[in-house]
């Protein structure tokens, strides 16, 4: 559960870059099945993005999603 | 040993014996041949016996991916298939994308060998270590879309699927397959080969991961490259329009004087009426695949997946198609059956011309020919199900050529495959020229080169691209020396390097489409390759491996009887093409010279010379074969 990331599934193209990058920085292997972000039904009309327990809120998936499907929530003071 | 990038495993599936085994890869082979197309070729040379019938049990299909696939390397998701193709009788390769290669790597395999023939319809399921031939009797007879949807559903929408349609099942010689119901894979008959083996589909799904050798170096390289891509000024318009950005079909139709029709395939129609969702191959920052939806009229609600909207739009050059929705519907049918839209388009036009000239008539075809939508749909059905005259057409161009001398000379075909790019319309760049020399027959993928990237460009721009592709500086002068000075570029010589560059991309797994390959150079590919695999290769090693692979492909086809006599420019190219009110001639890349048969032959001589091949028979010389250490494949 990432409380800090806003998901916009309409913009998702199913490239899995977020999953690849998350697994790589946290597990040192390109293993999207073990990423803390999961994109299901990648090529469906309606893909589903979710965050798993263990997500550190590092924001790296947001940084590398080049399609605007993930954005960071504004931090309130 | 520990494998990085590569998994080190080849899956070996014998359909006849229902036997599945794993072959361990050999490091020396990988250094000589490199990845997807390379190891595929080596395996094909060992496993496909010369002279076999492509649709017999003896034929073998080899599907492979490269060491970068399954990682985050931008645009690395390609998969290559090699087999003996029924449309041409050549041993050839074909490429596709989407998620099959990604999942295959994640499941722990670099290549799959499929041999023999199943007794009953099956599909192959590769789920990590669980590999099984499953009963496919309930999906046999279904189209590609339904087959893929069912298999996706079985695996939670997360697996790669290569499937055939009814055309493949019915052994239509030009039948292809689709990957994830989107990417065409196997023009020239891979669908028919799978059909002959009673193999309906292949599913891959993996959860094992792909490791890399040098994460520190990889991070540095990746971050630098992805920032360049992110900041590419045209990225947004590529993502908005996809391939439509590079080939505005509407402009072609306007040139032909068909303004009303041009509006039917405009950017506006695409964006406002058709575009449903943009999808990408795994790791791709330049997403260009389309999910389309028709939102009005007779076909309201039709959802269609395609590797680009330009594929259906290209069909609008047919006089039988006038509206975008009829076009998408016809194209959808072609895809579902697993036919080749390029071949159907060329064939329809050809049959129309032959009917106009009185060379074909109702007595040959069994029905009254009309240049309209209904006839097109009827033709598609007749071919896919081999009904009536469709049974002859399903046998391919060669069968049609045998029927009549005029048809044989007027068809735009090389080695049994129809020409994709018409040089009288687009002039003679490497893509057009490569259709003549490609061992597979008329095929364009391996001819992509600076003649496209810097269309009409200056010599300096060419040089920048030559360096990017790793063309040795020593070759520049010869490439700038064409048969006639005013031609500027010698496309014969340059094609050799386009093929090598394409082979490097296809070995490592990187997409060859212009919008992706433009970010890569032989230098950056070598750096990524070393960081991923832990090898210590130099650029020349990769280029040499590419040359080795292309020569091996040629050697295999020498044994099938192919030689210079088959590298034939279609005769029609030397006559003017009527295009609307215009007459277009066969011209060089700069439009400064009309290409005569003499110039065309000189370009062929130059191509063979640049390859170090014999000009008389158009085959690798013994010297070249020894230099590349390929003697054992002779
Ligand atoms: S969320 Fe972004 S990075 Fe992840 S699959 Fe969707 S588009 Fe790609
Ligand atoms: S925020 Fe960090 S840990 Fe969480 S899914 Fe994104 S990359 Fe993974």
């Amino acid at each position: 559960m990432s409380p800090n990331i806003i998901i916009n599934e309409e913009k998702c193209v199913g490239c899995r870059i977020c999953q690849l990058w998350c697994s790589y920085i946290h597990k040192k292997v390109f293993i999207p099945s073990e990423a803390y972000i999961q994109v299901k039904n990648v090529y469906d009309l309606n893909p589903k993005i979710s965050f798993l327990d263990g997500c550190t809120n590092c924001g790296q998936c947001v940084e590398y999603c080049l399609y605007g499907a993930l954005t960071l929530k504004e931090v309130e003071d | 040993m520990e494998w990085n990038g590569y998994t080190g495993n080849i899956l070996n599936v014998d359909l006849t014996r229902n036997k599945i085994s794993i072959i361990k890869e050999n490091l020396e082979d990988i250094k000589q041949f490199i990845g997807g197309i390379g190891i595929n070729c080596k395996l094909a040379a060992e496993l496909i016996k010369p002279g076999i019938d492509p649709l017999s049990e003896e034929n073998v299909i080899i599907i492979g991916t490269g060491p970068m696939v399954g990682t985050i390397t931008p645009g690395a998701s390609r998969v290559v298939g090699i087999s003996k193709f029924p449309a041409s009788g050549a041993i050839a390769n074909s490429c596709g994308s989407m998620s099959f290669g990604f999942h295959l790597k994640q499941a722990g395999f670099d290549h799959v060998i499929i041999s023999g023939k199943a007794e009953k319809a099956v599909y192959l399921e590769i789920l990590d270590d669980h590999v099984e031939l499953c009963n496919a009797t309930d999906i046999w007879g279904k189209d590609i879309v339904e087959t893929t949807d069912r298999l996706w559903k079985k695996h939670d929408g997360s697996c790669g699927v290569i499937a055939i349609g009814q055309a493949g099942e019915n052994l239509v010689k030009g039948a292809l397959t689709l990957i994830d119901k989107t990417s065409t894979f196997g023009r020239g008959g891979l669908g028919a080969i799978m059909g002959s083996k009673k193999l309906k589909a292949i599913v891959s799904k993996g959860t094992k991961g792909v490791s890399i050798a040098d994460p520190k170096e990889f991070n540095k390289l990746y971050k630098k490259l992805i920032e360049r891509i992110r900041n590419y000024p045209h990225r947004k318009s590529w993502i908005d329009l996809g391939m439509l950005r590079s080939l505005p079909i509407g402009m072609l139709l306007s040139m032909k004087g068909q303004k009303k029709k041009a509006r039917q395939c405009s950017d506006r129609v695409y964006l406002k009426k058709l575009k449903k969702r943009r999808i990408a191959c795994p790791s791709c920052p330049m997403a260009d695949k389309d999910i389309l939806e028709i939102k009005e009229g007779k076909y309201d609600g039709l959802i269609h997946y395609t590797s680009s909207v330009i594929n259906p739009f290209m069909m609008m050059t047919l006089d039988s198609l006038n509206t975008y929705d009829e076009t998408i519907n016809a194209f959808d049918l072609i895809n579902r059956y697993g036919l080749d839209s390029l071949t159907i388009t060329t064939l329809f036009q050809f049959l129309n011309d032959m009917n106009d000239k009185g060379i074909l008539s109702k007595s040959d075809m069994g029905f009254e020919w009309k240049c309209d939508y209904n006839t097109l749909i009827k033709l598609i059905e007749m071919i896919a199900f081999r009904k009536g005259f469709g049974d002859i057409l399903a046998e391919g161009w060669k069968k049609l050529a045998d029927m009549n001398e005029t048809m044989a000379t007027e068809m735009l075909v090389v080695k049994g495959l129809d020409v994709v790019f018409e040089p009288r319309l687009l002039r003679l760049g490497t893509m057009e020229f490569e259709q003549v020399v490609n061992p597979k027959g008329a095929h364009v993928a391996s001819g992509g080169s600076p003649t496209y990237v810097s269309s009409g460009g200056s010599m300096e721009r060419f040089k920048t691209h030559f360096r990017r592709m790793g063309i040795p500086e020593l070759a520049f002068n010869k490439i700038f020396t064409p048969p006639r000075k005013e031609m500027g570029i010698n496309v014969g010589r340059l094609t050799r390097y386009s093929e090598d560059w394409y082979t490097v991309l296809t070995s490592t797994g990187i997409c060859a489409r212009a919008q992706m390959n433009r970010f890569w150079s032989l230098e950056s590919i070598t750096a990524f390759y070393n960081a991923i695999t832990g090898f210590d290769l130099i650029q020349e090693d990769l280029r040499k491996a590419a040359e080795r692979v292309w020569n091996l492909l040629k050697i295999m086809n020498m044994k099938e009887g192919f030689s210079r006599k088959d590298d034939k420019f279609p005769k029609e190219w030397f006559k003017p093409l009527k295009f609307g009110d215009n007459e277009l001639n066969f011209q060089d890349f700069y439009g400064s010279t009309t290409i005569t048969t003499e110039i065309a032959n000189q370009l062929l001589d130059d191509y063979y010379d640049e390859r170090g091949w014999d000009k008389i028979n158009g085959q690798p010389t013994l010297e070249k074969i020894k230099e590349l250490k390929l003697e054992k494949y002779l």
Side-chain angles (χ1 to χ4, degrees):
Chain A
M1 316 300 122
S2 175
N4 285 346
I5 297 169
I6 306 168
I7 296 168
N8 184 347
E9 279 151 351
E10 275 195 10
K11 290 195 173 178
C12 176
V13 299
C15 67
R16 294 185 190 272
I17 290 177
C18 53
Q19 285 182 272
L20 284 159
W21 190 247
C22 173
S23 67
Y24 176 64
I25 51 171
H26 294 291
K27 315 240 158 138
K28 307 282 171 255
V29 181
F30 290 108
I31 183 157
S33 56
E34 290 187 12
Y36 298 120
I37 178 168
Q38 289 295 315
V39 188
K40 295 280 177 218
N41 301 331
V42 274
Y43 298 143
D44 228 354
L45 296 179
N46 305 299
K48 273 265 149 291
I49 302 174
S50 58
F51 292 90
L52 305 185
D53 286 345
C55 162
T56 63
N57 268 316
C58 67
Q60 285 289 301
C61 51
V62 179
E63 171 82 19
Y64 285 91
C65 170
L66 267 64
Y67 296 97
L70 306 171
T71 40
L72 282 179
K73 272 185 196 154
E74 300 279 336
V75 183
E76 286 169 34
D77 288 330
Chain B
M1 71 166 280
E2 193 189 328
W3 289 93
N4 289 298
Y6 293 98
T7 66
N9 298 317
I10 300 170
L11 184 64
N12 190 14
V13 180
D14 179 340
L15 295 169
T16 310
R17 290 173 194 78
N18 194 356
K19 245 183 97 183
I20 289 156
S21 56
I22 292 170
I23 301 170
K24 291 286 168 196
E25 276 171 274
N26 170 324
L27 196 61
E28 263 326 293
D29 289 343
I30 281 179
K31 289 199 171 162
Q32 292 274 305
F33 292 98
I34 303 186
I37 189 174
I39 296 295
N40 266 15
C41 253
K42 182 199 163 277
L43 292 168
E46 289 164 0
L47 297 171
I48 303 176
K49 293 195 192 81
I52 58 156
D53 171 357
L55 299 182
S56 71
E57 196 174 329
E58 288 170 291
N59 200 5
V60 180
I61 303 169
I62 300 143
I63 296 173
T65 67
M68 298 186 180
V69 178
T71 76
I72 202 168
T73 307
S77 60
R78 281 172 94 209
V79 37
V80 194
I82 290 197
S83 193
K84 182 166 175 179
F85 280 70
S88 56
I91 296 172
N93 72 288
S94 206
C95 286
S97 56
M98 297 300 281
S99 75
F100 183 86
F102 164 86
H103 278 292
L104 186 69
K105 287 292 292 287
Q106 289 289 333
F109 300 103
D110 295 324
H111 305 264
V112 188
I113 301 170
I114 300 165
S115 58
K117 178 183 174 179
E119 209 176 306
K120 283 192 194 132
V122 292
Y123 67 93
L124 172 64
E125 214 170 53
I126 306 166
L127 314 173
D128 291 335
D129 293 330
H130 179 85
V131 181
E132 192 187 343
L133 286 165
C134 310
N135 186 332
T137 35
D138 62 334
I139 43 173
W140 193 261
K142 304 280 182 234
D143 68 39
I144 294 185
V145 172
E146 193 176 341
T147 302
T148 307
D149 283 345
R150 283 209 198 179
L151 294 169
W152 271 355
K153 199 166 168 209
K154 182 176 171 194
H155 296 287
D156 300 329
S158 182
C159 63
V161 176
I162 299 176
I164 64 167
Q166 293 91 333
E169 294 175 9
N170 296 328
L171 312 185
V172 174
K173 288 198 171 159
L176 40 71
T177 80
L178 291 182
I179 306 180
D180 295 345
K181 64 180 182 181
T182 305
S183 166
T184 54
F185 182 47
R187 169 172 152 84
L190 185 62
I193 304 170
M194 280 177 63
S196 74
K197 297 189 173 305
K198 290 254 173 252
L199 179 63
K200 179 69 180 172
I202 313 172
V203 176
S204 64
K205 181 178 165 102
T207 60
K208 287 188 173 178
V210 176
S211 63
I212 61 168
D214 186 347
K216 213 169 140 200
E217 180 64 12
F218 184 88
N219 277 4
K220 211 173 80 196
L221 294 168
Y222 180 70
K223 286 183 177 172
K224 197 171 150 207
L225 180 59
I226 206 74
E227 282 321 304
R228 234 184 95 208
I229 298 173
R230 197 198 289 268
N231 296 321
Y232 175 49
H234 303 300
R235 182 169 175 269
K236 188 180 174 308
S237 71
W238 269 112
I239 302 216
D240 286 346
L241 290 173
M243 299 278 282
L244 199 55
R245 191 182 179 277
S246 63
L247 192 62
I249 318 283
M251 229 166 72
L252 277 183
L253 291 171
S254 299
M255 248 174 83
K256 218 176 159 187
Q258 301 179 326
K259 294 228 166 70
K260 199 169 153 207
K261 230 164 101 167
R263 282 196 292 276
Q264 289 285 313
C265 49
S266 63
D267 294 0
R268 204 180 152 272
V269 165
Y270 167 60
L271 294 170
K272 294 254 179 287
K273 300 194 175 218
L274 279 170
K275 191 173 175 181
K276 175 80 175 169
R277 189 185 162 211
R278 167 74 70 228
I279 48 175
C281 300
S283 82
C284 183
M286 298 293 286
D288 62 359
K289 306 285 186 281
D290 275 302
I291 304 181
L292 306 173
E293 183 184 18
I294 298 183
K295 300 176 188 117
E296 59 187 7
K298 210 162 137 196
Y299 306 105
D300 188 7
L302 177 77
I303 302 276
H304 177 79
Y305 284 59
T306 174
S307 65
S308 169
V309 72
I310 62 166
N311 301 325
F313 278 2
M314 287 248 267
M315 279 186 70
M316 281 195 91
T317 50
L318 285 179
D319 289 337
S320 55
L321 288 168
N322 291 306
T323 58
Y324 78 86
D325 58 339
E326 284 191 344
T327 306
I328 304 275
N329 190 56
F331 187 80
D332 188 66
L333 203 60
I334 290 172
N335 269 7
R336 284 174 182 269
Y337 292 155
L339 288 168
D340 180 342
S341 71
L342 298 167
T343 300
I344 296 290
T345 307
T346 312
L347 185 63
F348 188 90
Q349 190 59 50
F350 182 74
L351 295 176
N352 192 53
D353 292 350
M354 293 302 113
N355 274 279
D356 276 355
K357 288 185 181 172
I359 289 164
L360 282 175
S361 64
K362 190 178 171 185
S363 65
D364 303 302
M365 305 188 65
F367 65 98
E368 198 76 56
W369 180 265
K370 277 196 193 135
C371 183
D372 63 9
Y373 173 74
N374 289 338
T375 307
L376 175 64
I377 297 295
K378 184 181 175 134
L379 193 78
I380 294 168
E381 303 269 356
M382 284 173 75
I383 298 173
F385 295 94
R386 286 184 170 268
K387 285 190 239 160
F389 191 58
D391 193 32
I392 291 178
L393 299 174
E395 285 299 300
W397 291 98
K398 284 182 181 168
K399 186 89 176 179
L400 212 49
D402 289 344
M403 275 175 72
N404 176 297
E405 178 87 34
T406 317
M407 290 210 283
T409 44
E410 294 201 5
M411 57 180 57
L412 293 168
V413 168
V414 183
K415 302 183 191 94
L417 273 189
D418 40 282
V419 160
V420 180
F421 283 175
E422 168 55 74
R424 287 170 293 176
L425 199 57
L426 304 163
R427 298 187 183 159
L428 187 66
T430 42
M431 278 216 186
E432 290 74 23
F433 180 81
E434 220 262 343
Q435 299 180 107
V436 178
V437 293
N438 193 311
K440 179 174 182 169
H443 193 58
V444 291
S446 31
S449 82
T451 57
Y452 278 82
V453 184
S454 59
S455 140
S458 68
M459 298 297 159
E460 280 317 302
R461 269 194 80 189
F462 270 108
K463 282 187 189 167
T464 311
H465 287 294
F466 291 178
R467 292 191 180 104
R468 183 170 75 80
M469 292 158 69
I471 301 180
E473 300 271 337
L474 275 174
F476 285 19
N477 254 345
K478 282 194 286 175
I479 298 172
F480 288 127
T481 313
R484 300 274 189 283
K485 197 164 176 279
E486 56 282 12
M487 290 165 71
I489 284 279
N490 188 320
V491 289
R493 293 196 185 273
L494 182 54
T495 294
R496 177 244 147 119
Y497 296 102
S498 297
E499 290 170 343
D500 284 354
W501 172 236
Y502 162 89
T503 308
V504 169
L505 295 167
T506 312
S507 300
T508 51
I510 297 169
C511 174
R513 282 188 169 180
Q515 68 270 34
M516 195 62 240
N517 121 31
R518 68 183 313 288
F519 294 108
W520 287 99
S521 64
L522 186 61
E523 188 183 1
S524 62
I525 292 180
T526 311
F528 267 83
Y529 186 75
N530 286 336
I532 289 172
T533 60
F535 299 166
D536 189 19
L537 302 192
I538 57 168
Q539 290 181 47
E540 179 58 14
D541 295 330
L542 262 87
R543 209 195 50 70
K544 202 78 193 168
E547 189 189 357
R548 182 172 297 116
V549 169
W550 208 259
N551 275 266
L552 183 54
L553 200 58
K554 195 73 187 177
I555 291 173
M556 285 190 259
N557 285 297
M558 264 161 64
K559 294 197 221 165
E560 298 292 340
F562 287 94
S563 67
R564 179 166 182 155
K565 69 175 187 333
D566 304 289
D567 292 349
K568 232 175 11 205
F569 284 76
K571 280 198 183 129
E572 284 295 293
W573 281 2
F574 300 98
K575 295 183 195 157
L577 170 75
K578 262 192 87 64
F579 196 72
D581 291 336
N582 305 314
E583 284 214 330
L584 305 172
N585 286 312
F586 186 17
Q587 288 186 315
D588 71 297
F589 178 63
Y590 284 103
S592 57
T593 307
T594 298
I595 306 283
T596 58
T597 45
E598 191 200 344
I599 296 178
N601 278 327
Q602 181 64 50
L603 288 170
L604 274 178
D605 280 353
D606 291 344
Y607 168 78
Y608 300 132
D609 182 61
E610 202 60 40
R611 278 239 162 263
W613 292 355
D614 183 302
K615 285 185 209 168
I616 296 176
N617 59 23
Q619 296 173 339
T621 58
L622 198 56
E623 204 184 338
K624 181 51 89 182
I625 290 168
K626 281 187 180 157
E627 177 199 318
L628 296 169
K629 300 194 178 67
L630 290 171
E631 300 96 308
K632 74 170 189 186
Y633 297 102
L634 272 182

